[in-house]
Amino acid sequence: MHIIETYFECGGFDHRFLQGGISVYLWNLSKALADEGHRVSVVTPAHGRLDDLRASYDVERLDYEDTYELPLVLDPDTWGERFPAEVRIPLTTTAHRVRLDGVDLYFLSNDLLDRLPDRFYPPYDSKGSDLVFFKPLAYQVDTIRFIRSRFGGEKALVHAHEPYYHYLLPAAFRDDPDKFVVGTVQSNMPITKKVYRPKVERLLEFLDAQVEPAAEDPREAEISVLSAYQQRTHLHYDYGPGHIRVYDLVADHADLVDFLSPGHLEFYTAFADTPFEELFNRLPVRDTVRRNAHKSFVGGCAIGDRWRAEDRPAVDRTAVLEGIGLDPALPTFFHNARYAVHHKGQVELFRAVDRVLDEGLKANFVLRCLSDGGIDDPYVREVVERHKDRVHLECERVDERRVVEYAAASDYCLFPSKFEMDTFLIAQGEAMAVGAVPIATAQLGMAHFGHVADPLNTPEATGFAVNRSFAEDDTLLVNALVERIHTAAALLRERPEEYQRLRANAIAKAREFTWQQVAAQHLAAFTPLWEGQRPVPSIELLLKYGWFDLLPDEAHDAHRDAIAEATARFADRDLRARHSVADGRITYRLPHADRVEAVALAEPDPEHPWRRDVTVRPLERTGPGEFTGLLDETGGEVHLLLTLSSGRSAWDVVRHG
């Protein structure tokens, strides 16, 4: 099988040529597929680093020179009057090959792809001001043209990554009988993310892709409390007219859609129990998911070989912790992530660390929050300064061996990630693999690591779970982390045998995730496609998500019991709350609610009438499961966002007046 891997960067073979984790994933997967005897090509931009590559590798200039003009239709609302309605960027693209570990790496180079050699990715503020913003689009167009030129007429499977960086590819190759296209959802960008429709239509025409993008659906034009609130969950944003969903372009035209973990696939299929679930079920993107769900599979992700060495690293805990000014006799908690406060839950992490240390807990915290510019949040600096003998904060990129030492010298690892932005979370698996017991959110995308709510009564548990969070600066998450950190410290002191059980489970679980297994899972999906077999919807899939209207007629007799069970399961999601209104106040009662917030539309912004903000007023908790607050005197509907003790989010509407 000839597999063509492609993404905006693939420098995972050398840390000097990588920016993000997808680069590492792509290289490891490519090597593992090549090790299985398949021909693997990687197509990626050179990012202006050809001279650096030549200094370390044998770089071969290929007989490929492609001169064309990249047509870009610009959104006038973004690019204004300083730019014409359409620009054409003249480009001459060359290709350069490096052969490494059985993989052919093709680096594409032209005036646009070679810009930003230090950061690769255009800064967001280039949108509307600098055409370098379109560098990822140039990558897509150049990749399509290169594959057509180099591998035209040759049977191959194109494996592309992250919808925003490959949404033209499935449509471009849809009618090519020699090419299969598999799209991987790498991160959880909003499934409703859109791009400017005229730009996409012009590029598809330029690429001679005979595809007519779906017309706009009036359901997406409705502005509601639910849609406006989602800006705070990072799960959905409203767009004005003239835009098209990226996910539709991938899911409708790709042959398969790949996910990194079972929970990742489950989350992106239903958004169950999140504040977005109810809106998702009203939007046309749900139809896209339903009609393409049978194409989805879990290719997986893995932990690097260094972390899974046969024996745990021989780390001198005393030397490592004393070397950064910490007491090796104390319980030690480790965190390792980009500094991304909403994504990684670092606001709540610092609040929890601050509180437990103020409460007198004797423990160390080794916190790695990677940021090229350091951290300028005054609160973070204050926490570190007040607890400088207990907290070591590090923002720099360091040799991986040092990170291994920190993790192996720690007793626990802390990963309070939020908004379901993580799809596998390699860093958690790495820390577990060298013996750090996890304390982490119960995100579906991290569920494969085996941390649970009640680990002390779950034999196979690896660590402690706290509820998922979809709120900024979430006090419920802070409270949960504080409770778990105290419990974890006490466990080490009072029940060391239980701690050792969790540690052994964590090490064993993390080491299950190998690149050989990831290659096998991909090949299990690729091979039938290569042999001409197309996936079809299964009864189990339809029942899992309650898509009863898609069941064929004959299924109602053949699967009577399974349908009854699924029907009962979905019916059991009723909230059964009670409320009363008196003297302008609402009293809302739901025994298993931890938080109730009243959400209303804010005043519109005249410059962006299609995007509304909301106001959020927490109701006062007056007892277990009882909340009260003032009502708007004008009457009408009150939208209530509920956070339940299970971690589930749900909406309720109360009418009054």
Side-chain angles (χ1 to χ4, degrees):
M1 192 184 312
H2 182 197
I3 301 166
I4 302 173
E5 295 286 346
T6 182
Y7 178 59
F8 187 63
E9 61 161 318
C10 182
F13 58 90
D14 187 326
H15 72 277
R16 295 171 299 173
F17 300 102
L18 70 86
Q19 289 292 321
I22 299 176
S23 196
V24 176
Y25 163 97
L26 193 58
W27 173 243
N28 282 301
L29 176 60
S30 298
K31 268 199 315 177
L33 291 169
D35 288 344
E36 292 299 316
H38 298 282
R39 177 185 173 194
V40 180
S41 303
V42 174
V43 181
T44 190
H47 294 295
R49 302 290 298 276
L50 282 174
D51 286 343
D52 295 327
L53 279 169
R54 290 188 185 103
S56 302
Y57 301 94
D58 183 10
V59 180
E60 177 187 2
R61 165 78 185 257
L62 300 181
D63 183 19
Y64 177 81
E65 188 166 294
D66 180 26
T67 299
Y68 71 100
E69 290 187 343
L70 177 67
L72 296 171
V73 180
L74 305 183
D75 182 353
D77 287 338
T78 301
W79 294 87
E81 298 177 354
R82 291 170 300 158
F83 292 85
E86 178 174 335
V87 296
R88 300 180 68 87
I89 303 178
L91 296 170
T92 296
T93 306
T94 57
H96 310 262
R97 182 169 61 193
V98 173
R99 290 184 149 157
L100 200 62
D101 294 342
V103 177
D104 286 344
L105 291 140
Y106 295 93
F107 294 94
L108 305 182
S109 170
N110 64 35
D111 287 346
L112 188 50
L113 295 181
D114 287 345
R115 291 188 63 185
L116 306 174
D118 295 328
R119 57 173 297 151
F120 297 2
Y121 295 85
Y124 187 77
D125 60 13
S126 66
K127 186 176 182 179
S129 62
D130 187 337
L131 295 177
V132 76
F133 178 77
F134 295 111
K135 182 180 172 183
L137 264 182
Y139 148 71
Q140 290 198 57
V141 172
D142 273 303
T143 296
I144 292 165
R145 292 169 67 89
F146 176 75
I147 290 174
R148 284 175 172 172
S149 172
R150 182 91 186 168
F151 306 117
E154 179 182 332
K155 188 177 180 181
L157 186 148
V158 180
H159 189 202
H161 301 269
E162 188 64 301
Y164 181 71
Y165 289 92
H166 75 266
Y167 57 80
L168 297 176
L169 271 73
F173 290 113
R174 191 191 65 167
D175 295 328
D176 185 335
D178 299 315
K179 299 293 181 294
F180 305 100
V181 178
V182 178
T184 301
V185 179
Q186 295 278 166
S187 69
N188 279 337
M189 281 192 185
I191 197 169
T192 51
K193 183 175 182 60
K194 294 183 176 180
V195 289
Y196 189 48
R197 174 182 289 269
K199 176 185 69 180
V200 174
E201 292 174 335
R202 180 71 183 91
L203 286 168
L204 290 175
E205 177 189 39
F206 175 71
L207 293 165
D208 197 25
Q210 305 300 313
V211 169
E212 185 71 31
E216 293 185 47
D217 190 303
R219 287 176 287 175
E220 296 180 282
E222 180 185 352
I223 298 175
S224 66
V225 170
L226 264 62
S227 67
Y229 181 81
Q230 303 308 323
Q231 297 177 57
R232 300 186 179 214
T233 69
H234 308 275
L235 296 175
H236 166 81
Y237 295 93
D238 287 323
Y239 291 81
H243 291 76
I244 185 170
R245 275 191 307 281
V246 167
Y247 187 72
D248 288 39
L249 290 166
V250 171
D252 279 340
H253 302 302
D255 296 288
L256 295 173
V257 182
D258 179 11
F259 291 83
L260 298 196
S261 70
H264 179 204
L265 171 57
E266 186 174 344
F267 168 72
Y268 224 63
T269 302
F271 299 92
D273 299 339
T274 73
F276 179 52
E277 180 184 13
E278 188 168 331
L279 179 66
F280 169 74
N281 287 332
R282 300 178 189 178
L283 293 175
V285 69
R286 177 176 181 260
D287 302 335
T288 308
V289 170
R290 279 158 45 103
R291 68 174 173 266
N292 293 296
H294 58 285
K295 298 180 183 176
S296 299
F297 74 101
V298 177
C301 192
I303 310 300
D305 292 342
R306 185 192 295 274
W307 296 86
R308 293 186 299 98
E310 187 171 344
D311 297 319
R312 284 186 59 219
V315 170
D316 184 340
R317 174 185 169 110
T318 299
V320 171
L321 296 181
E322 285 187 346
I324 51 177
L326 302 177
D327 182 350
L330 299 181
T332 299
F333 297 79
F334 173 69
H335 172 74
N336 181 34
R338 289 184 295 112
Y339 184 57
V341 292
H342 297 313
H343 181 163
K344 300 298 182 182
Q346 287 153 339
V347 170
E348 292 82 358
L349 174 63
F350 279 99
R351 292 199 191 289
V353 169
D354 191 19
R355 192 193 298 177
V356 296
L357 293 176
D358 279 348
E359 290 171 349
L361 180 71
K362 297 187 182 308
N364 301 317
F365 293 88
V366 180
L367 308 178
R368 284 182 43 77
C369 301
L370 302 187
S371 171
D372 291 337
I375 297 176
D376 58 6
D377 184 330
Y379 174 68
V380 171
R381 294 207 305 267
E382 178 198 335
V383 170
V384 174
E385 178 60 26
R386 279 196 288 110
H387 305 291
K388 56 188 174 187
D389 59 340
R390 294 285 183 263
V391 177
H392 173 76
L393 174 64
E394 197 169 270
C395 302
E396 303 81 15
R397 298 176 194 276
V398 298
D399 190 298
E400 190 181 45
R401 286 171 293 191
R402 184 167 163 189
V403 185
V404 172
E405 289 178 350
Y406 286 155
S410 299
D411 304 296
Y412 294 96
C413 56
L414 287 163
F415 289 96
S417 300
K418 299 172 59 180
F419 303 109
E420 279 283 359
M421 288 185 180
D422 286 316
T423 54
F424 181 83
L425 196 51
I426 291 175
Q428 180 177 335
E430 290 173 341
M432 290 168 59
V434 296
V437 171
I439 300 173
T441 37
Q443 295 198 134
L444 291 177
M446 297 147 65
H448 50 275
F449 286 131
H451 50 293
V452 299
D454 185 14
L456 302 184
N457 291 300
T458 307
E460 68 277 13
T462 61
F464 299 86
V466 294
N467 282 343
R468 295 195 291 177
S469 171
F470 296 95
E472 296 179 359
D473 202 356
D474 188 348
T475 55
L476 294 180
L477 178 56
V478 175
N479 295 342
L481 287 172
V482 166
E483 188 272 334
R484 289 305 203 188
I485 291 170
H486 278 300
T487 300
L491 186 70
L492 265 179
R493 184 177 60 250
E494 299 167 3
R495 300 176 66 185
E497 71 289 352
E498 278 297 293
Y499 172 78
Q500 290 301 332
R501 176 179 66 82
L502 295 178
R503 167 174 269 192
N505 287 350
I507 293 171
K509 173 58 69 177
R511 288 164 182 250
E512 292 176 3
F513 299 99
T514 68
W515 287 109
Q516 292 75 19
Q517 179 62 28
V518 174
Q521 290 170 194
H522 279 89
L523 291 171
F526 291 172
T527 301
L529 185 65
W530 187 263
E531 294 173 347
Q533 302 171 37
R534 299 283 175 173
V536 296
S538 68
I539 299 298
E540 291 75 16
L541 174 69
L542 301 179
L543 294 182
K544 178 177 181 179
Y545 294 105
W547 298 336
F548 302 108
D549 56 316
L550 300 184
L551 288 169
D553 290 342
E554 60 273 19
H556 290 274
D557 288 331
H559 301 276
R560 189 185 305 274
D561 292 344
I563 292 173
E565 185 277 329
T567 303
R569 178 159 44 87
F570 281 91
D572 196 37
R573 292 172 60 80
D574 289 347
L575 292 171
R576 299 186 176 90
R578 293 184 299 143
H579 74 271
S580 58
V581 177
D583 300 327
R585 297 187 70 84
I586 181 174
T587 299
Y588 189 87
R589 298 181 181 87
L590 185 63
H592 53 296
D594 280 352
R595 180 168 59 202
V596 177
E597 298 165 296
V599 183
L601 282 174
E603 293 298 317
D605 178 353
E607 294 188 6
H608 302 286
W610 59 86
R611 178 170 290 183
R612 295 281 293 273
D613 199 354
V614 293
T615 61
V616 180
R617 291 185 297 110
L619 269 61
E620 180 186 358
R621 183 170 182 156
T622 53
E626 182 175 292
F627 302 83
T628 186
L630 286 171
L631 289 173
D632 187 335
E633 294 179 354
T634 59
E637 293 183 338
V638 180
H639 294 263
L640 299 176
L641 176 59
L642 317 176
T643 303
L644 309 185
S645 55
S646 65
R648 177 187 171 197
S649 297
W651 290 89
D652 198 0
V653 177
V654 171
R655 295 171 179 80
H656 71 103

